[in-house]
Amino acid sequence: MKVEDFSARPALGVALKITAIFLFTCMSAIIKSTSDEIPPGEQVFFRSLFAIPIILAWLAQRGQLKIGLKAKKPMGHVWRGLFGTTAMGLTFGGLGLLPLPEVTAIGFATPIFTVLLAALMLGERIRFLRISAVAVGLVGVIIILWPRFGGARLDHMATIGALMILGATLMRSLVQIHLRQLVQNEHTAAIVFYFSATATVLSLFTLPFGWVVPTGQTALLLVSAGLVGGVAQILVTSSYRFGSVSMLAPYDYTSMLFAIVLGYVIFGELPTVMMLAGASLVIVAGVLVIWREHQLGMERGKIRAVSVPKS
């Protein structure tokens, strides 16, 4: 099968990326709608298990099924799965305690924390522009989180939810750092498949902590979350065949618009002025980081294509 030149069809790349972001946001809304009944570990199981058939069909269609099932360094996939599954579980737990737009806004801090972790763990040098972007982004995160930790009327469950989403954001940053090493030896197809496989297995360890038998409607929603998430992962991976990483990465922030609309229509949630102000700072900082890394010639295509599924 002939692979298209990505530079020739940027509009298609943008369309695929935005569609994927919309589907990821829909998946988060589906998960949130089941949070009163289903524990996070069980949600992760359904999300991961029912994405596998979609991914296998996609790999078969591309003629990459054999490559996708071949792991050169199995422990690398295990660690990627552990970090990513933890991030997913924390996100799903936070979705049950916080408004969808707020969860989305805190998650925008992932590029900021990735820069910090790269400096601490990989010894990468960060200069004035990226240091400034990190500082702006951290201020934005503090503004978003302030009502949950320093407000006059604290909601303890919401505070726990904020801590869970913050922890998930840090774990996603660890995933990004780990992927920089994993893509040097492993094919993208293998990384995509083995994340869903390892997440399915790892989620079973939460079984003793209170899984429930879902009702018919809830089971349908959980299966849908897995299918939608699998399709979204394929679309975001495919988008990088038609558009460069630096061009497509900023479209991640369209999830804020989708989250606001879905949060209001489905859950009656409205973002606060403080949350929007903080999110704006985090978005500006994230775009600056993306632009600067492109200027430095950092190749992130493979990493972005197999990033942790948005929740």
Side-chain angles (χ1 to χ4, degrees), residues 107-266:
F108 288 156
T110 296
I112 310 303
F113 292 141
T114 302
V115 170
L116 290 174
L117 290 178
L120 293 173
M121 299 174 64
L122 302 180
E124 290 187 5
R125 297 181 63 184
I126 56 174
R127 299 186 184 277
F128 178 76
L129 183 59
R130 285 198 292 171
I131 291 174
S132 301
V134 168
V136 171
L138 291 177
V139 170
V141 172
I142 291 171
I143 292 174
I144 296 170
L145 294 176
W146 180 252
R148 303 304 183 191
F149 295 94
R153 300 172 60 183
L154 289 178
D155 181 336
H156 294 297
M157 293 308 295
T159 300
I160 292 173
L163 286 172
M164 294 177 78
I165 300 302
L166 190 61
T169 303
L170 287 168
M171 293 305 298
R172 280 197 294 269
S173 301
L174 277 176
V175 169
Q176 296 298 313
I177 297 298
H178 183 66
L179 282 173
R180 296 187 190 184
Q181 301 169 326
L182 194 60
V183 295
Q184 295 176 13
N185 300 295
E186 299 288 348
H187 194 279
T188 300
I191 297 175
V192 170
F193 169 74
Y194 279 107
F195 171 69
S196 289
T198 55
T200 301
V201 173
L202 290 171
S203 65
L204 292 173
F205 286 96
T206 66
L207 230 168
F209 298 99
W211 281 32
V212 300
V213 178
T215 63
Q217 180 178 354
T218 302
L220 182 61
L221 287 171
L222 292 169
V223 172
S224 298
L227 296 175
V228 170
V231 172
Q233 189 65 38
I234 289 170
L235 291 180
V236 76
T237 303
S238 300
S239 70
Y240 290 97
R241 296 171 58 202
F242 307 107
S244 66
V245 176
S246 59
M247 181 192 75
L248 293 176
Y251 288 96
D252 284 335
Y253 299 111
T254 59
S255 60
M256 190 74 242
L257 298 176
F258 298 140
I260 290 173
V261 172
L262 292 177
Y264 176 73
V265 171
I266 299 175

Side-chain angles (χ1 to χ4, degrees), residues 252-311:
D252 284 335
Y253 299 111
T254 59
S255 60
M256 190 74 242
L257 298 176
F258 298 140
I260 290 173
V261 172
L262 292 177
Y264 176 73
V265 171
I266 299 175
F267 306 108
E269 300 168 342
L270 283 173
T272 65
V273 173
M274 182 174 286
M275 193 216 77
L276 290 175
S280 298
L281 289 178
V282 175
I283 290 172
V284 169
V287 172
L288 280 174
V289 167
I290 293 167
W291 176 81
R292 182 54 179 163
E293 290 183 348
H294 174 64
Q295 293 297 106
L296 293 172
M298 298 178 69
E299 177 54 56
R300 300 291 176 83
K302 293 180 181 178
I303 295 174
R304 297 289 302 185
V306 296
S307 61
V308 176
K310 307 278 190 323
S311 47

Side-chain angles (χ1 to χ4, degrees), residues 21-35:
I21 297 303
F22 173 70
L23 291 178
F24 276 130
T25 310
C26 289
M27 185 202 72
S28 295
I30 293 171
I31 290 295
K32 181 176 175 63
S33 70
T34 67
S35 294

